[in-house]
Amino acid sequence: MLLLACTGEVDDTEAPVGDTQCQGTPYFLDEDGDGLGIGAPQHLCEPRDGFTATIDGDCYDDSASVAGDGLWLLGSDDQDLSHAEDALVHLTVDEPSTLVVCPGALYALSTTATADLLVVGAEGATLSGLDEARLFEMTGATLSIFDVALVHGYATGDGGAIWTDSDVTIRGGSLTENSAANGGAVFQAGAEGHVVFSSTALSDNTADDNGGAAVIEGHLECGGTSFRTNTATNGGALYLGIGTSLFDGSTFEGNIANRGGALDLRPPHVTTLGNSALTGNQASFGGAFATWETARLDCVDSAIEGNTGDTKGGGAWLLPSNDAVSLTSENCTWGEGDTDNVRDDIYNTQTAYSGTSDTWSCTGLTCSL
């Protein structure tokens, strides 16, 4: 007789003899239930928690109308706007809508909107104006763009890619090779408007007059955003007026203008430059930036180095009102040796002007850091 002793504990770490342990199937998140998944898969023995699709490739998982490709306008009536790459589609938006831009094709679009519009894409999603049209004209409506590249927008007037009199938020993506008379990529009109750039790249945009990348009349916030090789007569990257601006972890490099290589600040604009860098920008007056009258730049923990003022002010060109402070500098570096700003760090135009901060002072034309 064979006697077996039992401890009362069961070891279930291994499958019974003859059974096969589940190796797991890759399931993708499919919240809209169209059979196409999105994002990273989970290896599961059976679908659960929204991970129900075994096929990857959904472009937009918030609507079953959108599959793996195409250009879609989602509103009261979902529309497939997919078209040939060399055709420019004129779109009118008069109700709150979402525009989905799937990667894999370049779609040319000119949009006029009087209702709020959300534009969403993924890596590689691109909209073009074909160097003949502005991409978005917003009147009394907000525009939000996530992870879409806007290229080759064009306007004879203001705003090559975007014209707005309201609020704009752009997260990720880029604005590249757009052109206009003012605001090569973006023109925001109105002191009450807000513009937000977050982890966005603005490069190679041009304006005949002001703001190679953008003209902002209201308020601007930039986080982790780069402005490179934009050109204009005034404000190679940005021409800012009336409102305020805040830069955090942002860079300006290789922008060119006659005045204010990177920034041209009009009164009474106040800019806070924090943890950011203005390097290698060039202008006749104010290689890095220029200020007018009551406009002011507050530099905090940032670098203003290696900029060139061909005529005056490699770092800054100041034209302050007699009772205004145009610049404050706290823990900012202004270059030394090979990184110095060419033709003096700061040129002050007012012979009767005097202004001081904790780290620098100006008396007449002479400013010392």
Side-chain angles (χ1 to χ4, degrees), residues 20-342:
T20 303
Q21 282 187 300
C22 171
Q23 299 300 312
T25 298
Y27 283 96
F28 298 89
L29 186 65
D30 182 20
E31 292 188 325
D32 60 12
D34 63 0
L36 288 177
I38 194 169
Q42 290 190 7
H43 288 74
L44 307 170
C45 292
E46 59 183 21
R48 60 183 172 85
D49 299 332
F51 284 81
T52 59
T54 58
I55 303 174
D56 190 15
D58 201 349
C59 172
Y60 184 67
D61 201 35
D62 287 345
S63 173
S65 295
V66 181
D69 55 16
L71 178 68
W72 296 82
L73 183 68
L74 308 178
S76 57
D77 295 313
D78 295 347
Q79 302 177 52
D80 183 358
L81 303 177
S82 305
H83 58 279
E85 293 187 10
D86 58 352
L88 182 69
V89 169
H90 295 274
L91 177 65
T92 300
V93 177
D94 55 12
E95 65 176 12
S97 302
T98 298
L99 182 67
V100 179
V101 186
C102 297
L106 183 149
Y107 295 108
L109 195 67
S110 178
T111 306
T112 301
T114 55
D116 295 350
L117 180 62
L118 169 65
V119 183
V120 294
E123 185 177 356
T126 305
L127 291 173
S128 174
L130 298 180
D131 291 319
E132 61 181 84
R134 178 190 294 125
L135 281 82
F136 296 98
E137 181 174 330
M138 309 295 298
T139 303
T142 64
L143 175 65
S144 302
I145 302 177
F146 300 153
D147 301 317
V148 177
L150 306 183
V151 302
H152 295 287
Y154 170 77
T156 56
D158 301 333
I162 298 169
W163 183 96
T164 181
D165 61 2
S166 188
D167 298 342
V168 175
T169 297
I170 300 178
R171 186 183 70 197
S174 60
L175 294 98
T176 307
E177 295 184 349
N178 302 284
S179 61
N182 297 286
V186 178
F187 190 98
Q188 182 271 320
E192 301 304 316
H194 287 77
V195 176
V196 176
F197 294 126
S198 177
S199 301
T200 305
L202 295 92
S203 62
D204 299 306
N205 301 288
T206 60
D208 296 333
D209 297 322
N210 303 317
V215 171
I216 309 295
E217 294 186 354
H219 303 279
L220 172 65
E221 295 181 26
C222 290
T225 291
S226 63
F227 299 84
R228 290 189 172 90
T229 56
N230 303 284
T231 59
T233 300
N234 305 308
L238 296 172
Y239 185 91
L240 306 175
I242 303 178
T244 61
S245 56
L246 172 63
F247 299 93
D248 182 20
S250 296
T251 57
F252 295 80
E253 182 179 359
N255 301 286
I256 299 174
N258 179 60
R259 186 184 66 234
L263 301 169
D264 193 3
L265 310 182
R266 306 298 295 184
H269 194 91
V270 175
T271 286
T272 301
L273 187 71
N275 300 298
S276 297
L278 280 68
T279 58
N281 303 285
Q282 182 178 354
S284 294
F285 304 93
F289 67 92
T291 69
W292 291 81
E293 299 175 355
T294 57
R296 187 179 83 238
L297 185 141
D298 296 326
C299 183
V300 182
D301 299 323
S302 295
I304 301 177
E305 300 178 329
N307 304 284
T308 301
D310 293 328
T311 303
K312 295 176 181 177
W317 182 86
L318 312 178
L319 179 64
S321 301
N322 287 338
D323 59 349
V325 174
S326 298
L327 169 66
T328 67
S329 180
E330 180 180 352
N331 296 326
C332 289
T333 58
W334 290 78
E336 185 175 351
D338 292 342
T339 64
D340 200 7
N341 299 294
V342 178

Side-chain angles (χ1 to χ4, degrees), residues 1-25:
M1 178 182 293
L2 180 63
L3 299 177
L4 298 178
C6 293
T7 65
E9 297 179 0
V10 178
D11 183 359
D12 60 355
T13 58
E14 295 184 3
V17 176
D19 283 4
T20 303
Q21 282 187 300
C22 171
Q23 299 300 312
T25 298

